[in-house]
């Protein structure tokens, strides 16, 4: 069982990670205006022009940014879900077995949803 202090500590770490992820997403893309949880790649500075090679470079950069954005979004969702579990009082409990998640595992990944034994069954 986690103590209140341990949970507060993980909460602070998760909130910090959420802020870092949000900053990274903002540097790579822009929020989808119709879905604030979704981020889209946005050209940084460059805009499409008359030069085909320049445009190809911009498109390639957008594709790379899109892959990075997807990774960051996935991580941000896990972090936000962990923060919800803290609010609901279910944080630190394996979602497969219902047992306490090992402290080592939470230290390595505060957004962990499962104990080590069930890592492969619960995403992340
Ligand atoms: Zn488990």
């Amino acid at each position: 069982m986690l103590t209140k202090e341990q949970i507060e500590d993980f909460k602070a770490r998760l909130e910090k990670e959420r802020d870092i992820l949000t900053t990274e997403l903002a540097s790579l893309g822009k929020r989808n205006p119709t879905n604030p949880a979704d981020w889209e790649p946005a050209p940084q500075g460059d805009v499409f022009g008359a030069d085909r090679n320049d445009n190809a470079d911009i498109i390639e950069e957008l594709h790379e940014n899109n892959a990075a954005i997807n990774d960051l979004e996935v991580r941000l969702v896990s972090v936000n879900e962990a923060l919800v579990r803290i609010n609901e009082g279910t944080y630190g409990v394996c979602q497969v077995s219902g047992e306490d998640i090992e402290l080592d595992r939470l230290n390595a990944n505060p957004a962990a949803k499962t104990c080590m034994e069930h890592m492969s069954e619960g995403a992340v």
Side-chain angles (χ1 to χ4, degrees), residues 20-33:
I20 291 168
L21 289 166
T22 305
T23 305
E24 284 181 24
L25 280 165
S27 75
L28 288 172
K30 57 179 170 47
R31 268 183 214 270
N32 180 337

Side-chain angles (χ1 to χ4, degrees), residues 94-99 114-118:
C94 173
Q95 297 198 331
V96 177
S97 62
E99 288 170 27
T114 62
C115 68
M116 286 184 198
E117 193 186 333
H118 300 114

Side-chain angles (χ1 to χ4, degrees), residues 22-64:
T22 305
T23 305
E24 284 181 24
L25 280 165
S27 75
L28 288 172
K30 57 179 170 47
R31 268 183 214 270
N32 180 337
T34 56
N35 177 6
D38 188 32
W39 293 74
E40 298 168 330
Q44 302 297 308
D46 294 325
V47 285
F48 291 111
D51 187 321
R52 287 175 62 124
N53 289 327
D54 281 354
N55 288 345
D57 286 347
I58 294 170
I59 288 169
E60 193 181 318
E61 191 189 321
L62 285 176
H63 277 294
E64 284 170 13

